[in-house]
Amino acid sequence: MGKRLWVERNKDGSWDAFSDDGAHIKFGKDRGQFTPGDLMKVALAGCAALSSQFAIEHTLGEGKGAKIVVDGSYDPENDAYTGFEEQVVVDASDAGLSDEDADKLKERITRHIDKGCTVKHTYVQETPVRMNVTIKR
């Protein structure tokens, strides 16, 4: 089992998400808040960022990373995302990489994300969700 998470509603209509280890994020549907669909995209981008970090830092140096932009195709009729487009951009302009070195880095980043991104692995397969509703009285 993974880390236990839960959400609680705030008086202003926003929500807070918490984890057992102290992580926290506010979300909702108002302007300036991440929606649950946005958080799906953040999870995909964040997973790619963490998965690619070693390959990038190994080549470009500590503290270097990628900018990952994720967009999703949304089907309003079924209220579901039908796919995601992920763009991984690495600024190596000051590294003086040859074309061959840039291609090798691109390949390493792709391999690291394909191997280590749990969120991507989950999204590319059918993932059942079991739900249990409890009414406390």
Side-chain angles (χ1 to χ4, degrees), residues 33-93:
Q33 297 176 342
F34 288 116
T35 67
D38 293 337
L39 293 174
M40 290 174 60
K41 295 180 220 175
V42 167
L44 185 59
C47 192
L50 293 175
S51 297
S52 66
Q53 183 176 340
F54 177 81
I56 294 168
E57 285 189 334
H58 181 77
T59 302
L60 301 179
E62 190 174 329
K64 297 292 186 175
K67 176 180 179 179
I68 294 120
V69 179
V70 176
D71 198 2
S73 300
Y74 179 72
D75 175 6
E77 188 172 308
N78 292 305
D79 190 29
Y81 284 95
T82 58
F84 295 98
E85 182 71 30
E86 188 171 35
Q87 180 66 40
V88 180
V89 179
V90 178
D91 183 357
S93 57

Side-chain angles (χ1 to χ4, degrees), residues 4 8 14 36 43 48-49 54 67-68 82 92 100 114 127 135-136:
R4 193 173 79 97
E8 297 175 2
S14 67
F54 177 81
K67 176 180 179 179
I68 294 120
T82 58
E100 182 180 340
D114 284 346
T127 307
I135 309 296
K136 291 183 178 182

